[in-house]
Amino acid sequence: MLTRLQEISLIARCVAADDRHAFGELVEAYSDNLRRFLLSLTKGDVSLVDDLAQETFIKAYLSVRSLEGITRFHTWLFRIAYNEFVSHTRRVRNLESVNALNPLDEPADETDEPAITDANLHEAIMSLTDTQRAIIQLFYFEEFSIARISTVTGMPQSTVKSHLHRARTRLASLLEKYRY
């Protein structure tokens, strides 16, 4: 991750001189984290991640002049990505029925594993709502604060806390079956 000063310098080069190389450095610095975030949101759909990441970076490049100095580029970029995901989800829901998108309709694999594994955790996270999954991803895996998640999602901090609490409760319930 870039320091705040490095970020500002690269953004200034993008804005002042339309320096595509500087924007490329920003993309390189944040691409892995953004793709990991989108991979969680899309439930592992790599081709959709590619599309959403590309759209995110295009929108960021076209709008970099509107970036306010208070907001970190990283936070702003995740906000764009989250909005792209939400827009995509709305488009899909308009084309398909809600039932086709519900992963809980599929029978769960029964395992005899005595402990919670990464696969169990991944399965539980994937069964959360899109919003809960995004907040869990940002809070635990990207280590964003509640305030920063609020900025990314556009939700009030109290709403973020509520979604985080519900997600934790749901995860605990789902993972309980793997404990003895």
Side-chain angles (χ1 to χ4, degrees):
M1 187 178 299
L2 300 173
T3 67
R4 179 79 169 140
L5 189 58
Q6 290 170 319
E7 236 180 49
I8 291 170
S9 173
L10 290 171
I11 292 167
R13 287 174 38 202
C14 290
V15 172
D18 196 27
D19 186 344
R20 293 181 181 170
H21 179 69
F23 191 78
E25 290 180 46
L26 289 166
V27 169
E28 188 175 317
Y30 297 116
S31 182
D32 289 344
N33 288 348
L34 181 79
R35 292 180 61 74
R36 184 174 49 245
F37 173 63
L38 288 170
L39 195 61
S40 173
L41 291 179
T42 62
K43 300 179 181 180
D45 186 341
V46 177
S47 63
L48 181 55
V49 168
D50 291 340
D51 292 343
L52 293 174
Q54 182 176 5
E55 285 299 316
T56 297
F57 285 119
I58 289 170
K59 285 190 177 185
Y61 180 75
L62 295 174
S63 304
V64 74
R65 286 176 172 75
S66 69
L67 179 62
E68 297 175 10
I70 299 170
T71 304
R72 293 278 316 249
F73 181 81
H74 187 237
T75 304
W76 181 70
L77 188 64
F78 272 64
R79 172 74 182 182
I80 294 170
Y82 181 75
N83 286 341
E84 281 299 305
F85 172 74
V86 169
S87 295
H88 169 76
T89 302
R90 283 185 187 138
R91 283 191 302 271
V92 168
R93 284 188 178 143
N94 286 337
L95 297 175
E96 299 175 358
S97 70
V98 175
N99 292 336
L101 294 177
N102 188 351
L104 297 177
D105 289 343
E106 299 173 9
D109 292 336
E110 294 297 323
T111 61
D112 294 330
E113 297 178 41
I116 297 171
T117 64
D118 287 346
N120 301 140
L121 180 60
H122 178 74
E123 179 184 335
I125 290 172
M126 289 302 115
S127 71
L128 297 174
T129 66
D130 292 343
T131 302
Q132 290 173 348
R133 195 170 56 257
I135 289 172
I136 288 289
Q137 176 73 22
L138 290 171
F139 189 79
Y140 288 107
F141 298 102
E142 299 302 327
E143 299 179 356
F144 278 25
S145 67
I146 298 294
R148 208 161 168 200
I149 295 171
S150 176
T151 301
V152 168
T153 61
M155 295 178 207
Q157 288 185 29
S158 59
T159 304
V160 170
K161 288 177 185 177
S162 292
H163 282 292
L164 185 58
H165 174 74
R166 284 188 210 119
R168 286 175 178 155
T169 302
R170 175 106 169 105
L171 283 174
S173 171
L174 291 168
L175 295 173
E176 188 63 33
K177 67 183 176 183
Y178 298 107
R179 298 178 196 215
Y180 284 127

